Amino acid sequence: MPARTGRPPKISRADIVTAAHRVIEEDGVASLTMRRLAREVGSTAMALYHHVRDKEELLLLLLDDYAAGHARPAEEELPGEPRERVVAVATAMREALAGCPWIVDVLRADDLLSVGGLWYPEKIIDAALAAGLAMEDAVSAYRIIWHYTAGEIGARAAAAGRRAEGGSTYRERVFAELDADAFPRLAEVGPRWAELTARDTYDRGLRALVAGLLP
């Protein structure tokens, strides 16, 4: 007589969100499929569709869950001066996203977003308006700051992953053997290239951007 398998275990949206975060942390957002997620929660893909319509809705849940779990600066903690306010909000945005770089990849597609995460563009655009920019220019300023921040997070995450693999990189080997006649400046700095380019220059770059964007 065949063994009875019984009903699949009951699952909740919270179970699904937790398992989805686990899949992404282990193998990246590209590996997150309904079939893979079903295996993680010990259920079937069909059972998941009772809770989430598709992968897009699942990603929205993850974005909202992540946004809800990260405290933002209180209004009274933000500087009153517009330029410093932009710097403070952009820095908080970077800190919130740096620990979860896959979210940056999702947001850069300019489709999915968390309503909770809209606090950052709201505050940056408001500060840009207070500095004297027109609305169109304020939005452009935010977008420039966002692309700078997203690019910096992505580059640092990629570099950290490469360093975790160990061994020298192709770039390090190239810089170690540069022709000093063809590239005198780069050859001079070559031995320190990895050290210098690993420095955190986000604040310096952000302030330069803000100084150029805001009157």
Side-chain angles (χ1 to χ4, degrees), residues 100-118:
C100 208
W102 70 264
I103 289 181
V104 173
D105 292 334
V106 173
L107 296 177
R108 288 173 83 173
D110 273 346
D111 184 17
L112 303 182
L113 55 83
S114 167
V115 173
L118 292 179

Side-chain angles (χ1 to χ4, degrees), residues 64 66-75 77-78 89 92-93 96 114-121 123:
D64 287 338
Y66 192 80
H70 284 74
R72 299 186 295 263
E75 185 67 29
E77 296 175 343
L78 294 175
V89 175
M93 178 171 65
S114 167
V115 173
L118 292 179
W119 181 87
Y120 300 101
K123 293 299 180 183

Side-chain angles (χ1 to χ4, degrees), residues 143-172:
R143 292 293 292 171
I144 292 169
I145 291 169
W146 158 246
H147 286 302
Y148 168 67
T149 302
E152 198 267 354
I153 291 172
R156 286 194 168 275
R162 180 62 187 87
R163 286 195 299 271
E165 295 175 358
S168 63
T169 65
Y170 175 73
R171 180 170 298 180
E172 288 170 344

Side-chain angles (χ1 to χ4, degrees), residues 83-201:
R83 289 189 180 189
E84 289 300 319
R85 194 174 184 87
V86 170
V87 168
V89 175
T91 300
M93 178 171 65
R94 182 220 192 187
E95 291 173 353
L97 294 173
C100 208
W102 70 264
I103 289 181
V104 173
D105 292 334
V106 173
L107 296 177
R108 288 173 83 173
D110 273 346
D111 184 17
L112 303 182
L113 55 83
S114 167
V115 173
L118 292 179
W119 181 87
Y120 300 101
E122 170 69 22
K123 293 299 180 183
I124 290 175
I125 291 171
D126 180 67
L129 291 171
L133 291 185
M135 177 59 79
E136 292 81 0
D137 293 331
V139 172
S140 294
Y142 162 71
R143 292 293 292 171
I144 292 169
I145 291 169
W146 158 246
H147 286 302
Y148 168 67
T149 302
E152 198 267 354
I153 291 172
R156 286 194 168 275
R162 180 62 187 87
R163 286 195 299 271
E165 295 175 358
S168 63
T169 65
Y170 175 73
R171 180 170 298 180
E172 288 170 344
R173 294 193 295 273
V174 168
F175 271 82
E177 301 172 359
L178 277 177
D179 183 341
D181 292 328
F183 307 101
R185 299 304 184 191
L186 292 179
E188 178 183 356
V189 78
R192 301 182 59 210
W193 186 260
E195 168 211 339
L196 294 176
T197 55
R199 293 181 180 179
D200 188 344
T201 58

